[in-house]
Amino acid sequence: MKKETSPRPTKQDRGDATREKLLTSSIDVFGRYGFDGATTRMLAETAGVNLQAIPYYFGGKEGLYIAAAEHLASIIIDHVADLRNAVLARLAHLDGQGQPLEAHEARDMLSRLAQHMVALFVSRQSESWARFIIREQMEPTEAFERVYANVMGPMIGMAGRLVATILGEAPQSEQVRLKTLSFVGSILVFRMAHAAVLRQMKWQAVGPDELDLLRRHAAELVAAIESKREDRS
């Protein structure tokens, strides 16, 4: 019987793998050292690829930096895709039927979204993402525009519609936008101030018990959002 052999990787397969290695590792390198501090040699060695791969695939360090930002956005989108798509599909269905989104359903959606995001933000894999994004928050470049346009803006916008429904106000009102940003910030703090969180909570790390507590806390943050109607009752 003739032994079957696996097909040899094609030139395109090897090229795709090289490009993927550069994109993945450069998020961490740029996050740690910034655009100016990260040399092309450092980027290539960390990825384990030839130095010429950077100009070949990305045209240079700047091209790699922008591509890394787009890659980062796509990674985050993949992690929230199922929940995000479910929420958007439900909203589209209600809009198509001319039916309003009820406050209780908006709370449920926002609670599930918040619990999912807090779990993602305290995971080890989000460390390199946070470094990259924090640098861009401090000194925004074209890379920030890519991350904001592809993931941050749409996610904040979706959360804003849910917050607006709960508050009983227009989604574009300043009250809703500020409330949404404050809410998002209360979730982001568990990544952006991770060391302070561990110190304040006297945790060595975020394990299953700590994560369960954070999920419950995220749900409580949603429950604390009150509409004007609830305030008057």
Side-chain angles (χ1 to χ4, degrees), residues 140-171:
T141 68
E142 177 62 24
F144 172 76
E145 297 300 327
R146 304 298 176 92
V147 174
Y148 185 85
N150 291 325
V151 62
M152 294 179 68
M155 290 298 292
I156 293 173
M158 185 170 68
R161 176 167 178 182
L162 301 178
V163 170
T165 299
I166 296 170
L167 293 175
E169 296 190 13

Short mmCIF file of all heavy atoms in Angstrom, two decimals, residues 140-171:
data_model
loop_
_atom_site.label_atom_id
_atom_site.label_comp_id
_atom_site.label_asym_id
_atom_site.label_seq_id
_atom_site.Cartn_x
_atom_site.Cartn_y
_atom_site.Cartn_z
N PRO A 140 -2.44 59.67 18.88
CA PRO A 140 -3.14 59.00 17.76
C PRO A 140 -2.45 59.21 16.42
O PRO A 140 -1.97 60.29 16.10
CB PRO A 140 -4.52 59.67 17.78
CG PRO A 140 -4.67 60.25 19.14
CD PRO A 140 -3.29 60.65 19.55
N THR A 141 -2.40 58.14 15.66
CA THR A 141 -1.88 58.16 14.30
C THR A 141 -2.94 57.53 13.39
O THR A 141 -4.06 57.25 13.82
CB THR A 141 -0.57 57.36 14.19
OG1 THR A 141 -0.86 55.96 14.37
CG2 THR A 141 0.45 57.82 15.22
N GLU A 142 -2.56 57.27 12.16
CA GLU A 142 -3.47 56.59 11.23
C GLU A 142 -3.88 55.22 11.76
O GLU A 142 -4.98 54.74 11.49
CB GLU A 142 -2.81 56.46 9.86
CG GLU A 142 -3.63 55.71 8.83
CD GLU A 142 -4.95 56.39 8.50
OE1 GLU A 142 -5.07 57.61 8.70
OE2 GLU A 142 -5.87 55.68 8.03
N ALA A 143 -2.99 54.61 12.55
CA ALA A 143 -3.30 53.29 13.13
C ALA A 143 -4.52 53.38 14.06
O ALA A 143 -5.36 52.48 14.07
CB ALA A 143 -2.09 52.76 13.90
N PHE A 144 -4.61 54.46 14.83
CA PHE A 144 -5.76 54.63 15.71
C PHE A 144 -7.04 54.74 14.89
O PHE A 144 -8.08 54.17 15.26
CB PHE A 144 -5.61 55.88 16.58
CG PHE A 144 -6.87 56.20 17.36
CD1 PHE A 144 -7.20 55.47 18.48
CD2 PHE A 144 -7.71 57.22 16.95
CE1 PHE A 144 -8.37 55.75 19.19
CE2 PHE A 144 -8.87 57.51 17.64
CZ PHE A 144 -9.21 56.76 18.77
N GLU A 145 -6.98 55.46 13.78
CA GLU A 145 -8.16 55.61 12.93
C GLU A 145 -8.65 54.25 12.44
O GLU A 145 -9.86 54.00 12.36
CB GLU A 145 -7.85 56.52 11.74
CG GLU A 145 -7.49 57.95 12.12
CD GLU A 145 -8.60 58.65 12.89
OE1 GLU A 145 -9.79 58.36 12.61
OE2 GLU A 145 -8.30 59.47 13.77
N ARG A 146 -7.71 53.35 12.12
CA ARG A 146 -8.09 52.02 11.64
C ARG A 146 -8.76 51.21 12.76
O ARG A 146 -9.78 50.55 12.53
CB ARG A 146 -6.86 51.27 11.13
CG ARG A 146 -6.08 51.98 10.04
CD ARG A 146 -6.90 52.19 8.77
NE ARG A 146 -6.16 52.96 7.78
CZ ARG A 146 -5.41 52.43 6.83
NH1 ARG A 146 -5.30 51.11 6.73
NH2 ARG A 146 -4.79 53.19 5.95
N VAL A 147 -8.17 51.25 13.97
CA VAL A 147 -8.75 50.51 15.09
C VAL A 147 -10.10 51.09 15.47
O VAL A 147 -11.07 50.35 15.71
CB VAL A 147 -7.79 50.52 16.30
CG1 VAL A 147 -8.46 49.86 17.51
CG2 VAL A 147 -6.50 49.78 15.96
N TYR A 148 -10.19 52.42 15.51
CA TYR A 148 -11.44 53.05 15.91
C TYR A 148 -12.54 52.79 14.89
O TYR A 148 -13.67 52.43 15.25
CB TYR A 148 -11.26 54.56 16.08
CG TYR A 148 -12.50 55.24 16.61
CD1 TYR A 148 -12.75 55.27 17.98
CD2 TYR A 148 -13.45 55.80 15.75
CE1 TYR A 148 -13.91 55.86 18.48
CE2 TYR A 148 -14.60 56.38 16.23
CZ TYR A 148 -14.83 56.40 17.60
OH TYR A 148 -15.98 56.97 18.08
N ALA A 149 -12.22 52.95 13.62
CA ALA A 149 -13.23 52.79 12.57
C ALA A 149 -13.72 51.35 12.47
O ALA A 149 -14.91 51.11 12.21
CB ALA A 149 -12.66 53.25 11.22
N ASN A 150 -12.83 50.39 12.69
CA ASN A 150 -13.19 48.99 12.49
C ASN A 150 -13.79 48.30 13.71
O ASN A 150 -14.58 47.37 13.56
CB ASN A 150 -11.96 48.20 12.03
CG ASN A 150 -11.52 48.58 10.64
OD1 ASN A 150 -12.35 48.87 9.78
ND2 ASN A 150 -10.22 48.60 10.39
N VAL A 151 -13.40 48.74 14.92
CA VAL A 151 -13.91 48.02 16.09
C VAL A 151 -14.38 48.93 17.21
O VAL A 151 -15.48 48.73 17.73
CB VAL A 151 -12.85 47.01 16.61
CG1 VAL A 151 -11.57 47.69 17.05
CG2 VAL A 151 -13.41 46.16 17.74
N MET A 152 -13.60 49.93 17.61
CA MET A 152 -13.98 50.74 18.76
C MET A 152 -15.24 51.55 18.51
O MET A 152 -16.19 51.52 19.31
CB MET A 152 -12.82 51.66 19.16
CG MET A 152 -11.60 50.94 19.68
SD MET A 152 -10.25 52.08 20.11
CE MET A 152 -10.97 52.90 21.54
N GLY A 153 -15.26 52.27 17.39
CA GLY A 153 -16.43 53.09 17.06
C GLY A 153 -17.71 52.29 16.95
O GLY A 153 -18.72 52.63 17.59
N PRO A 154 -17.72 51.21 16.15
CA PRO A 154 -18.94 50.40 16.03
C PRO A 154 -19.40 49.79 17.35
O PRO A 154 -20.60 49.74 17.63
CB PRO A 154 -18.53 49.31 15.03
CG PRO A 154 -17.47 49.94 14.20
CD PRO A 154 -16.70 50.80 15.15
N MET A 155 -18.45 49.33 18.18
CA MET A 155 -18.83 48.71 19.45
C MET A 155 -19.40 49.75 20.41
O MET A 155 -20.39 49.50 21.10
CB MET A 155 -17.64 48.01 20.08
CG MET A 155 -17.19 46.76 19.35
SD MET A 155 -18.45 45.45 19.31
CE MET A 155 -18.50 44.99 21.04
N ILE A 156 -18.77 50.92 20.47
CA ILE A 156 -19.29 51.98 21.32
C ILE A 156 -20.64 52.45 20.81
O ILE A 156 -21.56 52.73 21.60
CB ILE A 156 -18.29 53.16 21.39
CG1 ILE A 156 -17.02 52.73 22.12
CG2 ILE A 156 -18.92 54.36 22.11
CD1 ILE A 156 -15.91 53.77 22.10
N GLY A 157 -20.79 52.52 19.50
CA GLY A 157 -22.07 52.92 18.92
C GLY A 157 -23.18 51.95 19.25
O GLY A 157 -24.31 52.35 19.56
N MET A 158 -22.88 50.65 19.19
CA MET A 158 -23.87 49.64 19.53
C MET A 158 -24.24 49.71 21.00
O MET A 158 -25.43 49.66 21.37
CB MET A 158 -23.34 48.24 19.20
CG MET A 158 -24.35 47.12 19.41
SD MET A 158 -23.77 45.53 18.75
CE MET A 158 -22.41 45.20 19.88
N ALA A 159 -23.23 49.87 21.85
CA ALA A 159 -23.50 50.01 23.29
C ALA A 159 -24.32 51.27 23.55
O ALA A 159 -25.21 51.28 24.40
CB ALA A 159 -22.20 50.06 24.07
N GLY A 160 -24.02 52.33 22.78
CA GLY A 160 -24.75 53.58 22.94
C GLY A 160 -26.23 53.45 22.64
O GLY A 160 -27.07 54.04 23.34
N ARG A 161 -26.57 52.67 21.64
CA ARG A 161 -27.99 52.48 21.32
C ARG A 161 -28.69 51.74 22.47
O ARG A 161 -29.83 52.06 22.82
CB ARG A 161 -28.16 51.71 20.03
CG ARG A 161 -29.63 51.42 19.74
CD ARG A 161 -29.93 50.94 18.36
NE ARG A 161 -31.34 50.66 18.21
CZ ARG A 161 -31.90 50.18 17.11
NH1 ARG A 161 -31.14 49.96 16.04
NH2 ARG A 161 -33.19 49.93 17.05
N LEU A 162 -28.01 50.77 23.06
CA LEU A 162 -28.60 50.02 24.17
C LEU A 162 -28.76 50.91 25.39
O LEU A 162 -29.79 50.87 26.08
CB LEU A 162 -27.74 48.81 24.49
CG LEU A 162 -27.54 47.80 23.35
CD1 LEU A 162 -26.62 46.67 23.79
CD2 LEU A 162 -28.88 47.25 22.87
N VAL A 163 -27.73 51.72 25.66
CA VAL A 163 -27.80 52.66 26.79
C VAL A 163 -28.93 53.66 26.56
O VAL A 163 -29.69 53.98 27.49
CB VAL A 163 -26.45 53.39 26.98
CG1 VAL A 163 -26.59 54.53 27.98
CG2 VAL A 163 -25.37 52.41 27.44
N ALA A 164 -29.07 54.15 25.34
CA ALA A 164 -30.12 55.12 25.03
C ALA A 164 -31.50 54.53 25.27
O ALA A 164 -32.40 55.20 25.80
CB ALA A 164 -30.00 55.56 23.56
N THR A 165 -31.67 53.26 24.90
CA THR A 165 -32.96 52.60 25.12
C THR A 165 -33.26 52.49 26.61
O THR A 165 -34.39 52.72 27.05
CB THR A 165 -32.95 51.20 24.48
OG1 THR A 165 -32.74 51.33 23.08
CG2 THR A 165 -34.27 50.48 24.73
N ILE A 166 -32.25 52.12 27.38
CA ILE A 166 -32.43 52.00 28.83
C ILE A 166 -32.77 53.35 29.46
O ILE A 166 -33.65 53.45 30.32
CB ILE A 166 -31.17 51.41 29.49
CG1 ILE A 166 -30.92 49.98 28.99
CG2 ILE A 166 -31.28 51.42 31.01
CD1 ILE A 166 -29.57 49.41 29.37
N LEU A 167 -32.07 54.40 29.01
CA LEU A 167 -32.30 55.74 29.55
C LEU A 167 -33.57 56.39 29.03
O LEU A 167 -34.07 57.35 29.61
CB LEU A 167 -31.11 56.65 29.22
CG LEU A 167 -29.77 56.32 29.89
CD1 LEU A 167 -28.68 57.25 29.36
CD2 LEU A 167 -29.88 56.44 31.40
N GLY A 168 -34.07 55.87 27.89
CA GLY A 168 -35.25 56.49 27.29
C GLY A 168 -34.92 57.81 26.64
O GLY A 168 -35.73 58.74 26.64
N GLU A 169 -33.70 57.91 26.06
CA GLU A 169 -33.26 59.15 25.44
C GLU A 169 -32.77 58.88 24.02
O GLU A 169 -32.59 57.74 23.61
CB GLU A 169 -32.15 59.80 26.26
CG GLU A 169 -32.59 60.24 27.65
CD GLU A 169 -31.54 61.09 28.34
OE1 GLU A 169 -30.60 61.55 27.65
OE2 GLU A 169 -31.65 61.29 29.55
N ALA A 170 -32.51 59.97 23.28
CA ALA A 170 -32.01 59.85 21.91
C ALA A 170 -30.56 59.36 21.94
O ALA A 170 -29.76 59.83 22.75
CB ALA A 170 -32.09 61.20 21.21
N PRO A 171 -30.20 58.42 21.06
CA PRO A 171 -28.84 57.85 21.04
C PRO A 171 -27.74 58.89 20.87
O PRO A 171 -26.63 58.69 21.38
CB PRO A 171 -28.88 56.88 19.86
CG PRO A 171 -30.31 56.51 19.71
CD PRO A 171 -31.07 57.75 20.08
#
